[in-house]
Amino acid sequence: AEHKNHACCKDPCKLLDAWDPGNNEHNYAALLTSLATEKFGSDHFKAVIDTGRNGAQNRKDCHNFCNIRRAGAGRASTTETANNTILDAYFWLKTPGESDGCTKQLPNGTKCARYDAVCGSEDSLGNEGDEPNAPEAGEWYDYQVKMLAEYADLDGLGS
C-alpha cells in the first residue's frame, strides 16, 4: 500500500484485484525472469519492454489492443532501465505507425479479408466518423503515427 502511487506499481487494468502479479510491464518482467531462473537454475535472464505504444494508456477496456485511440509512443529506446537486474532495455519493438489490424473496410473502400472484431472496439482507431479506416496489420497507418506522436511520453515520466 505504501508504494501504490510509484511507477512500478501502476495497475491501469486493475489486475491486482484479480491477484495477478503481472499488473504492469515491470512487474510482468520481474515475474518472467523469476520463473525462468527457478525453472532453469540460472540468473542470467533479463527482459526487454516494448515501449512503442505505452506512452499514454487511454483504453476503456484493457482487453482492447488494436490501433488504440489516444495511445502515445512510450519511452525512447534505451538501455537505461528502472531495474537493470531484470531489464536489458526499453525498445520500440512494434514500429510506431504500423497498423495492428484493419477496420471492416480498408482505406481504399474494399472489405478487409482479415478483419478481427477487436479492431472494431470502442478504443480502436478507424471506428469513429472522422477517423480514416485502418489498413491491414503491418501496413503504415499515417493517422495512427500522428496520434502516437501527439500523446508521446518519450522520457517515460508521464509528462
Side-chain angles (χ1 to χ4, degrees):
E2 70 181 272
H3 300 290
K4 73 177 188 176
N5 293 322
H6 190 275
C8 74
C9 300
K10 288 182 182 174
D11 188 16
C13 294
K14 310 294 182 237
L15 294 175
L16 287 177
D17 294 343
W19 301 98
D20 186 340
N23 62 305
N24 62 45
E25 288 98 341
H26 288 105
N27 290 345
Y28 186 67
L31 177 65
L32 284 178
T33 57
S34 172
L35 292 172
T37 297
E38 181 181 316
K39 172 79 175 169
F40 299 106
S42 173
D43 64 356
H44 73 274
F45 295 100
K46 291 190 179 184
V48 172
I49 293 177
D50 182 4
T51 57
R53 297 172 182 217
N54 71 350
Q57 294 292 319
N58 294 301
R59 294 179 289 181
K60 294 177 183 171
D61 183 337
C62 287
H63 292 99
N64 296 337
F65 66 86
C66 188
N67 301 323
I68 299 300
R69 186 178 295 106
R70 291 182 302 282
R75 186 161 184 182
S77 298
T78 181
T79 57
E80 294 178 23
T81 67
N83 184 343
N84 64 6
T85 63
I86 62 167
L87 296 174
D88 271 336
Y90 301 120
F91 195 76
W92 287 0
L93 296 172
K94 174 85 169 162
T95 304
E98 188 177 271
S99 179
D100 295 318
C102 51
T103 45
K104 285 184 179 181
Q105 196 171 37
L106 294 169
N108 67 8
T110 62
K111 182 180 175 184
C112 176
R114 296 185 301 162
Y115 174 72
D116 183 324
V118 176
C119 293
S121 78
E122 64 183 332
D123 292 322
S124 298
L125 289 171
N127 294 298
E128 290 188 355
D130 61 337
E131 298 172 341
N133 291 335
E136 292 275 4
E139 291 184 14
W140 185 253
Y141 192 10
D142 195 65
Y143 186 78
Q144 179 195 47
V145 79
K146 289 173 181 171
M147 190 166 287
L148 289 169
E150 180 181 349
Y151 291 92
D153 179 19
L154 301 180
D155 60 8
L157 300 175
S159 52

